[in-house]
């Protein structure tokens, strides 16, 4: 759907902890550059968050903090719409309809489901169903683009499949969304086990740089990030630790990998590179931390942002859901 001539962008980050560097470099930092070009909807997927166990009071607090972190990352509420998923009627309702045309095998094959269910004693169906809800989030607003990190590509593919299937079955209804994934920053890995992606819900805080980390903490975490015994700073899949740090540098500096490799080609050992990387991250995250500090306790303001967001999107969601209801054969009320 286009509002005026602008295409619609929709995306979100779960309120499952303080945003980490991957969320920033792979997501929010790119999103803020889209505000003028697109009609942007950024939401806080708190209904997704309960697919893993949450302490209710913490989830409520984390949702409020997420609003502040979005704004601190540069998502200016005057130039985009920010809303909370559970405030809107339509996401779960559309997810039900889409679930009824989703092959269950496709859900079992999702990487995120495999990772998040691995070694768990109790696996709940919400975790399996997560990508269907995500498809509903996207299709409910006829989003054209879904900017995310690489880990969400498979989920956006499912949203595309479901849009095409619904349209073919019931007639043209949904826009088929496209993922927007950047070359660098799209898959930032853990500082301690670089074969796994960095995640805000990782219990090992040393494996993760949070966007609100103090400078000293950032220096410490980068200095102790796992590398190898070599000294060549390269985009080498055989050496995932240093490769990840190079990717982080290039994404933060906004340069390509080849340029990054060339810049550090003459460096002796990893220590000077690590120091430069830490300085770069500290400078990059400083304004985010400051802005967050300035607004984080202003509950009235934060709630006003998402209330305004809900007022904007609820009519859109309602209209599309009504169309979907009619198409599948639900009797009007
Ligand atoms: P959780 O551990 O709770 O799943 P998360 O850190 O994976 O948290 P999400 O809320 O699942 O964060 O994802 C928010 C956005 O950040 C998505 O667009 C996702 O693709 C992106 N993202 C998450 N982790 C990374 C990462 N390591 N590198 C790049 N982008 C990432
Ligand atoms: Mg995730």
């Amino acid at each position: 759907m286009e509002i005026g001539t602008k295409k619609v962008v929709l995306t979100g980050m779960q309120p499952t902890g303080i945003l980490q560097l991957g969320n920033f470099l792979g997501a929010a930092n790119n999103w803020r550059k889209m505000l003028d070009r697109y009609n942007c909807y950024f939401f806080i997927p708190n209904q997704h968050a309960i697919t893993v166990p949450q302490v209710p009071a913490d989830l409520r607090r984390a949702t409020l903090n997420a609003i502040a972190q979005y704004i601190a990352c540069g998502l200016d509420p005057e130039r985009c719409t920010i809303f909370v998923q559970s405030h809107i009627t339509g996401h779960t309702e559309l997810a039900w309809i889409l679930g009824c045309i989703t092959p269950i095998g496709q859900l079992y094959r999702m990487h995120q489901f495999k990772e998040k269910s691995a070694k768990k004693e109790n696996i709940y169906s919400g975790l399996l169903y997560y990508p269907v809800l995500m498809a509903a989030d996207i299709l409910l607003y006829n989003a054209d683009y879904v900017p995310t990190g690489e880990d969400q590509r498979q989920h956006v593919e499912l949203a595309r499949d479901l849009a095409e299937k619904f349209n073919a079955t019931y007639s043209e209804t949904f826009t088929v969304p496209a993922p927007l994934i950047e070359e660098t920053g799209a898959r930032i890995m853990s500082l301690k086990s670089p074969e796994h992606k960095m995640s805000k819900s990782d219990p090992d805080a040393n494996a993760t740089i949070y966007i609100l980390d103090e400078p000293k903490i950032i220096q410490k975490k980068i200095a102790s990030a796992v590398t190898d015994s070599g000294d060549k700073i390269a985009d080498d899949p055989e050496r995932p630790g240093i490769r990840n740090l190079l990717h982080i540098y290039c994404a933060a500096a906004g340069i390509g990998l080849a340029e990054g490799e060339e810049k550090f080609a003459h460096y002796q050992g990893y220590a000077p590179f690590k120091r430069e990387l830490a300085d770069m991250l500290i400078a990059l995250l400083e304004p985010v931390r400051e802005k967050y500090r300035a607004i984080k306790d202003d509950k009235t303001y934060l709630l006003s942002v998402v209330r305004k967001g809900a007022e904007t999107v609820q009519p859109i969601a309602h209209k599309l859901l009504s169309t979907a209801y009619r198409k599948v054969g639900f009797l009007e009320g």
Side-chain angles (χ1 to χ4, degrees):
M1 176 178 57
E2 294 190 27
I3 305 273
T5 56
K6 287 185 179 177
K7 299 265 186 193
V8 173
V9 155
L10 179 132
T11 189
M13 299 198 258
Q14 299 182 76
T16 42
I18 296 167
L19 298 184
Q20 41 90 4
L21 197 57
N23 302 139
F24 188 74
L25 295 178
N29 200 35
N30 305 323
W31 304 354
R32 82 187 159 79
K33 296 174 193 154
M34 299 175 179
L35 300 187
D36 297 323
R37 185 154 170 222
Y38 299 110
N39 185 23
C40 292
Y41 297 143
F42 301 119
F43 74 109
I44 295 157
N46 56 344
Q47 292 171 321
H48 284 267
I50 62 164
T51 56
V52 296
Q54 301 290 341
V55 176
D58 292 351
L59 177 60
R60 232 184 312 275
R61 201 173 312 112
T63 306
L64 207 56
N65 290 345
I67 306 167
Q69 287 174 67
Y70 275 27
I71 299 169
C73 286
L75 307 181
D76 173 3
E78 298 301 319
R79 291 153 67 215
C80 64
T81 302
I82 299 176
F83 65 95
V84 175
Q85 187 181 30
S86 66
H87 289 174
I88 308 302
T89 304
H91 291 246
T92 51
E93 286 82 353
L94 183 60
W96 178 256
I97 293 177
L98 297 175
C100 293
I101 56 167
T102 306
I104 200 155
Q106 205 170 349
L107 298 180
Y108 280 117
R109 283 195 295 275
M110 293 287 170
H111 306 305
Q112 178 176 284
F113 174 71
K114 288 185 192 164
E115 270 165 34
K116 292 203 171 185
S117 61
K119 297 184 202 131
K120 293 264 160 36
E121 257 179 47
N122 299 313
I123 301 164
Y124 298 104
S125 51
L127 190 62
L128 182 68
Y129 198 67
Y130 178 117
V132 180
L133 180 57
M134 179 164 156
D137 302 333
I138 299 166
L139 302 189
L140 193 58
Y141 302 97
N142 269 334
D144 297 284
Y145 299 118
V146 184
T148 68
E150 185 59 47
D151 60 313
Q152 296 296 325
R153 183 190 290 278
Q154 209 184 16
H155 292 166
V156 182
E157 288 297 332
L158 177 73
R160 288 172 63 84
D161 289 353
L162 293 176
E164 281 168 355
K165 193 166 178 183
F166 189 100
N167 290 348
T169 309
Y170 298 106
S171 81
E172 204 58 36
T173 307
F174 297 118
T175 301
V176 179
L180 281 185
I181 299 171
E182 299 285 322
E183 187 216 9
T184 54
R187 194 161 172 78
I188 302 299
M189 309 308 276
S190 154
L191 299 180
K192 291 296 174 192
S193 44
E195 64 283 4
H196 296 120
K197 82 167 195 76
M198 191 179 280
S199 283
K200 62 179 127 60
S201 59
D202 186 337
D204 183 358
N206 290 321
T208 312
I209 290 184
Y210 302 101
I211 61 168
L212 305 176
D213 277 347
E214 296 292 332
K216 278 212 167 68
I217 302 285
I218 295 180
Q219 276 160 351
K220 215 170 114 208
K221 286 180 178 177
I222 292 290
S224 64
V226 166
T227 48
D228 52 64
S229 54
D231 63 357
K232 193 163 181 308
I233 298 152
D235 182 28
D236 176 0
E238 299 290 307
R239 295 182 302 133
I242 192 68
R243 180 189 202 210
N244 183 38
L245 297 184
L246 177 67
H247 276 242
I248 293 175
Y249 186 94
C250 291
I255 60 173
L257 289 168
E259 194 181 338
E261 280 188 321
E262 201 183 308
K263 177 174 162 64
F264 297 113
H266 64 280
Y267 275 45
Q268 301 288 317
Y270 295 148
F273 163 67
K274 281 182 159 184
R275 276 196 295 276
E276 216 170 308
L277 174 59
D279 288 346
M280 151 87 75
L281 294 176
I282 290 164
L284 186 72
L285 296 174
E286 170 87 49
V288 176
R289 237 182 30 252
E290 287 214 341
K291 178 79 186 170
Y292 181 77
R293 240 186 257 136
I295 58 173
K296 73 178 173 54
D297 296 323
D298 193 347
K299 190 172 172 184
T300 309
Y301 167 65
L302 298 174
L303 285 178
S304 76
V305 167
V306 292
R307 284 190 182 132
K308 186 170 141 241
E311 276 170 25
T312 305
V313 299
Q314 182 63 79
I316 303 169
H318 183 255
K319 191 160 170 239
L320 214 93
L321 185 68
S322 303
T323 306
Y325 271 18
R326 186 168 43 77
K327 297 233 176 159
V328 299
F330 292 168
L331 182 67
E332 71 274 19

